[in-house]
Amino acid sequence: MKTRIITSVVAVGLFIPFCIFSTTPFWVFLVFAGLISLFAVYEILKCTALEKNLAASLLSYSVAIAAPLLTRIAFKGTERYYLIMSFVYFALLFLSFVNATFSKGKIPVVNSCVATVMTIYVSFSMASIVLLRDLGPDGTIGAKIYLLAFIFAWVPDIGGYFFGRFFGKRKLIP
């Protein structure tokens, strides 16, 4: 329980500046989005034991940081944006497989696949948050809507945890 509370305090400590700086110039918001994406990808690489592999980690880190930036820069037209992001994700996938193939067994292909797919998932999620933030003619609509993505994810999660903690009789997965 203590670990969960500490994690929540750290997450809220990162989230509050993210919300505050979302109304400032666009580059501040992009830096925060890129840093949050980078931190999430680092945790994924740590879980798959790939954070020490220079090639795998540099590929994933650069995509994690670049996805929010490319979203703001490339989203002039929908087709162009999706084409650019598809190319970036395909290049990541291809280079990750090449890295795993030529590592002579040091990098399991399964770990490389998990890390690559999760990097794409996290970076695309943060890129989508940037797109949500930019909704409306001057971004005023998006400044409120993107918070709903976090609220709709966190409230049921927190509610389910505390409901199970206080009213549950046995653990689902002991």
Side-chain angles (χ1 to χ4, degrees):
M1 181 79 161
K2 194 183 287 186
T3 306
R4 288 180 188 252
I5 292 173
I6 292 171
T7 304
S8 299
V9 167
V10 170
V12 168
L14 290 173
F15 183 69
I16 289 173
F18 185 73
C19 290
I20 291 170
F21 291 122
S22 71
T23 58
T24 59
F26 70 94
W27 63 270
V28 177
F29 181 71
L30 294 179
V31 167
F32 272 106
L35 288 176
I36 290 171
S37 181
L38 179 70
F39 179 71
V41 168
Y42 170 75
E43 289 295 322
I44 291 166
L45 291 179
K46 206 163 127 180
C47 290
T48 57
L50 290 177
E51 85 277 2
K52 293 180 183 171
N53 184 301
L54 187 64
S57 59
L58 282 179
L59 281 170
S60 294
Y61 295 154
S62 55
V63 168
I65 291 174
L69 296 174
L70 283 175
T71 300
R72 181 65 64 87
I73 293 167
F75 195 70
K76 303 289 187 232
T78 307
E79 295 165 2
R80 180 177 164 205
Y81 168 71
Y82 289 117
L83 183 67
I84 291 171
M85 294 306 283
S86 297
F87 176 75
V88 168
Y89 292 141
F90 179 77
L92 173 68
L93 188 64
F94 177 74
L95 292 173
S96 295
F97 284 135
V98 167
N99 186 32
T101 302
F102 292 113
S103 70
K104 298 179 183 174
K106 292 180 185 176
I107 300 174
V109 175
V110 171
N111 288 4
S112 180
C113 289
V114 168
T116 302
V117 169
M118 291 308 293
T119 299
I120 291 170
Y121 176 72
V122 166
S123 63
F124 191 73
S125 297
M126 288 310 295
S128 297
I129 293 294
V130 171
L131 284 177
L132 276 174
R133 170 63 185 89
D134 290 345
L135 279 178
D138 58 351
T140 54
I141 297 170
K144 295 170 184 70
I145 289 180
Y146 86 98
L147 293 175
L148 292 176
F150 293 107
I151 291 169
F152 287 155
W154 287 346
V155 168
D157 190 40
I158 293 168
Y161 172 74
F162 283 114
F163 187 84
R165 186 94 172 135
F166 294 124
F167 299 111
K169 295 191 181 192
R170 59 182 106 97
K171 294 182 179 182
L172 290 175
I173 303 173

